[in-house]
Amino acid sequence: MEENISKAKIAGLSYTIGNIILKCIVFFSLPIFTKLMSPTDFGIYNNYIAYETIISAVLGLGFYSTIKKAFFEFKRDFNSFYSSITLFMLLNFIVLFILVLSFNTQLTKLTGFDTEILIILMCQSFGSALLLIYASFLNVTFKYKEYLIISFINSITNILISIFLVIFCFPNASYFGRIIGTAIPYFLVASYIIFIVFYNGGFKLKKNYIKFALFMGCPLVPHVIAQFILNQSDRLLISKYIDDYSSGLYSYAYNICTILLVVLQSMDSSWTSWSYYKYEIHDNNIVKEKSKDYMLFSFNVFIGFVCLAPEVFKLMADESYWAGIDMILPLALSMFFLFLYFIPVNLEYYKKKTIFVSLGTIGAALINIVLNVLLIPKYSFSVAAYTTLISYFLLFMIHFIISLKYEIRDKYDVKVMLLVFIFSIIIFLGLTLISKYKYIYIVIRYFILLCDCLFIIIYFKKYYINILKKRRN
């Protein structure tokens, strides 16, 4: 077990660093596409991605969440478990694909996409669902190198093919070139994953594995769809009530803030794998002890991001996108609340209480829809950033209250969690109040950034010293 914990640390750190580098590649491609695509086409493409999110959730059946628990439950026959759920997903895809073709007229009216795009959408969604589960499989088996290679190829080919198609094939419909360029790598990844499963023993549908996966995963489908509503419905409703141009502005601001979420999610992935191993050997004290530093460091990352985000926002796109800059602060705080929500919800996963995961997220999603429907037509697209903030605030609070029943106080330093929660709100309110005063705003942000960097250097120096000692040995 200790050997596995050591492997989990190495794999987790490598996964975190590698995933951040991969996402940075995608992030730094953003100015290329904001130059090649108008805000309207950018909005259409992001609406397409919004639908891809919900379809991949239905195709995936929440199976990605079962991988870590199944690894401990079916250790001796884990590969067989993985092949069983992959085959079940393939059958699910075939059924849904036939349904989409049968009702393509109605779906075209609903989404605004023609049959050709709907077919591409289905194939990409299946590839995305397969990749998510395969990534979880590689994570728990410590095959982080393979995950990083696949993700790197997927990201690079996505960008290169999209640029080629937008410039040379679809200059007057850049959204379509971007859609095809995104879908092709996912189709190739899906083909590779299916081949690997066949190569490693073929598809085997075992009833007990499917039952386990459906029992844990299916309650999460409403949760994932509710997450889609929280993450994506605002841009769809902006397109509906205002226009695709405004949706493009909102999508750009949201994409800028996802770099913060990517960093925090990567940290969460490695933290979750390590903490699950500790739970298995009933070593809750070390998890609670380390959780303090984990949450403080994440808070420092959030502060650093909000201090630098306005400059990054302007650097990554031309002035046609700058009207959305005021949405950065509420969206960044939303991403931090989403990170805090990961902490109690991962405990719910470990306890197999996935029904509570769904109920909490559905409640927050319903509030998000109501607020968007009421406020977007009245206050324009920028209000969606604040409805998102309110929804993620409630999402964290709901799951935090639920987790109190499942020993979160024994596994996490709850006082520190609530402190970073409160101080993140204070930072947000303070920066929002002075944001109208251009030069004062800049000076205050960089002063906070300096203090943040000094805190990281001084408080976390014990980790740097420990790393240096290990390297010398």
Side-chain angles (χ1 to χ4, degrees), residues 111-127:
T111 63
F113 299 134
D114 58 28
T115 304
E116 187 177 24
I117 292 182
L118 288 175
I119 291 172
I120 296 170
L121 179 60
M122 285 296 297
C123 293
Q124 179 179 331
S125 300
F126 180 58

Side-chain angles (χ1 to χ4, degrees), residues 44 48 51 55 97 100-101 103-122 170 173 175-176 179-180:
I44 294 171
Y48 168 87
Y51 283 111
I55 295 171
F97 189 80
V100 167
L101 292 179
F103 296 96
N104 72 88
T105 303
Q106 294 87 339
L107 290 172
T108 295
K109 291 179 180 178
L110 175 66
T111 63
F113 299 134
D114 58 28
T115 304
E116 187 177 24
I117 292 182
L118 288 175
I119 291 172
I120 296 170
L121 179 60
M122 285 296 297
F170 305 100
Y175 71 89
F176 190 64
I179 286 171
I180 297 176

Side-chain angles (χ1 to χ4, degrees), residues 166-361:
V166 168
I167 294 175
F168 296 105
C169 301
F170 305 100
N172 298 321
S174 58
Y175 71 89
F176 190 64
R178 186 74 175 101
I179 286 171
I180 297 176
T182 303
I184 290 173
Y186 276 108
F187 176 78
L188 296 174
V189 165
S191 302
Y192 168 77
I193 292 171
I194 291 171
F195 170 78
I196 287 296
V197 174
F198 265 120
Y199 184 78
N200 289 334
F203 289 112
K204 298 174 184 176
L205 265 181
K206 291 194 175 182
K207 185 178 178 181
N208 60 319
Y209 294 153
I210 298 302
K211 185 178 179 180
F212 175 89
L214 289 173
F215 175 77
M216 277 197 71
C218 280
L220 287 173
V221 175
H223 160 72
V224 176
I225 293 173
Q227 274 191 325
F228 153 79
I229 293 170
L230 283 169
N231 297 341
Q232 309 285 353
S233 66
D234 35 23
R235 63 199 72 185
L236 296 176
L237 290 170
I238 290 170
S239 289
K240 177 181 174 61
Y241 289 117
I242 305 177
D243 52 35
D244 289 327
Y245 177 84
S246 298
S247 178
L249 296 179
Y250 178 84
S251 297
Y252 173 66
Y254 197 97
N255 286 342
I256 290 292
C257 291
T258 54
I259 191 65
L260 171 64
L261 183 60
V262 165
V263 175
L264 297 177
Q265 274 185 323
S266 298
M267 291 167 56
D268 171 73
S269 179
S270 56
W271 169 266
T272 304
S273 297
W274 174 80
S275 61
Y276 275 22
Y277 274 109
K278 289 297 184 181
Y279 296 158
E280 287 295 310
I281 60 174
H282 307 290
D283 195 358
N284 294 338
N285 289 335
I286 189 66
V287 177
K288 186 173 183 177
E289 179 187 332
K290 297 295 183 184
S291 70
K292 175 184 175 182
D293 293 346
Y294 172 57
M295 290 182 286
L296 282 175
F297 185 75
S298 303
F299 177 63
N300 291 132
V301 171
F302 162 72
I303 292 175
F305 178 83
V306 296
C307 289
L308 291 171
E311 283 72 27
V312 174
F313 185 94
K314 291 183 177 179
L315 182 66
M316 303 298 283
D318 59 40
E319 292 186 17
S320 63
Y321 285 85
W322 289 6
I325 196 168
D326 291 338
M327 294 184 287
I328 287 291
L329 283 173
L331 287 174
L333 185 58
S334 300
M335 299 301 111
F336 187 66
F337 285 167
L338 186 57
F339 161 75
L340 290 177
Y341 139 86
F342 292 151
I343 295 172
V345 89
N346 283 331
L347 188 57
E348 292 167 35
Y349 280 136
Y350 183 77
K351 295 289 186 178
K352 299 182 184 179
K353 304 299 180 181
T354 52
I355 186 65
F356 292 115
V357 177
S358 291
L359 290 174
T361 311

Side-chain angles (χ1 to χ4, degrees), residues 401-457:
I401 292 168
I402 292 171
S403 69
L404 292 174
K405 296 182 179 180
Y406 301 110
E407 304 168 346
I408 192 170
R409 293 187 186 93
D410 298 330
K411 294 180 171 65
Y412 286 90
D413 194 322
V414 173
K415 289 181 180 178
V416 173
M417 185 188 299
L418 294 177
L419 277 175
V420 298
F421 173 70
I422 292 167
F423 275 101
S424 65
I425 296 173
I426 292 171
I427 291 288
F428 162 73
L429 293 174
L431 289 176
T432 301
L433 288 172
I434 65 169
S435 62
K436 296 177 181 178
Y437 308 101
K438 182 178 178 181
Y439 295 108
I440 296 176
Y441 184 47
I442 294 172
V443 171
I444 294 295
R445 280 193 291 111
Y446 280 90
F447 176 74
I448 293 173
L449 179 63
L450 177 62
C451 294
D452 186 51
C453 292
L454 288 173
F455 179 84
I456 291 174
I457 292 169

Side-chain angles (χ1 to χ4, degrees), residues 90-100:
L90 180 60
L91 296 174
N92 187 36
F93 166 70
I94 293 169
V95 171
L96 289 176
F97 189 80
I98 292 170
L99 288 173
V100 167

